[in-house]
Amino acid sequence: MHEDPPYEAETHGVVVRVRPAFLAGQSDPAAGRWVWAYQVEIENRRPDTVQLLTRRWTITDGHGRVEQVEGPGVVGEQPVLGPGERHSYASGCPLPTPTGMMVGAYVFVDAGGATFEADIPAFSLDTPDARARPN
């Protein structure tokens, strides 16, 4: 299986990498349900410790319908990352279309109590059949 490079963004010394994967076994196209998993890695390249407080996602399906998702932490955690440390987690997203995209941001607090946002890069949710193919 070909492994595509991750989608990646760096903001204020925090790197966010995302790898989406289509879950054919959990999808039911006849019922209008397509499901993806995504693996996220967050790396702290700052000289200070940071803690992830909240997340914000914008999910757009193949028809352009937008859903906003906000909440504390990631999968029930608010990880603390020292300099050079990484945190990984996996989650998922169902859509009513075989294509879509996600983008977002995490809010962190640094050791001095200041909050800042780190971008989550925009990434595509495409079934293997929906991906553009080179000529």
Side-chain angles (χ1 to χ4, degrees), residues 39-100:
Q39 180 74 32
V40 177
E41 180 183 75
I42 304 164
E43 178 183 356
N44 180 12
R45 291 186 178 168
R46 297 165 57 99
D48 58 339
T49 296
V50 298
Q51 181 176 15
L52 190 153
L53 299 177
T54 63
R55 72 188 183 288
R56 181 181 69 250
W57 290 103
T58 300
I59 305 164
T60 306
D61 72 17
H63 296 302
R65 289 180 293 233
V66 176
E67 179 183 1
Q68 299 284 339
V69 177
E70 297 184 35
V74 290
V75 293
E77 298 180 311
Q78 292 181 311
V80 175
L81 301 170
E85 291 184 337
R86 298 176 185 204
H87 177 79
S88 295
Y89 73 94
S91 192
C93 179
L95 287 179
T97 60
T99 62

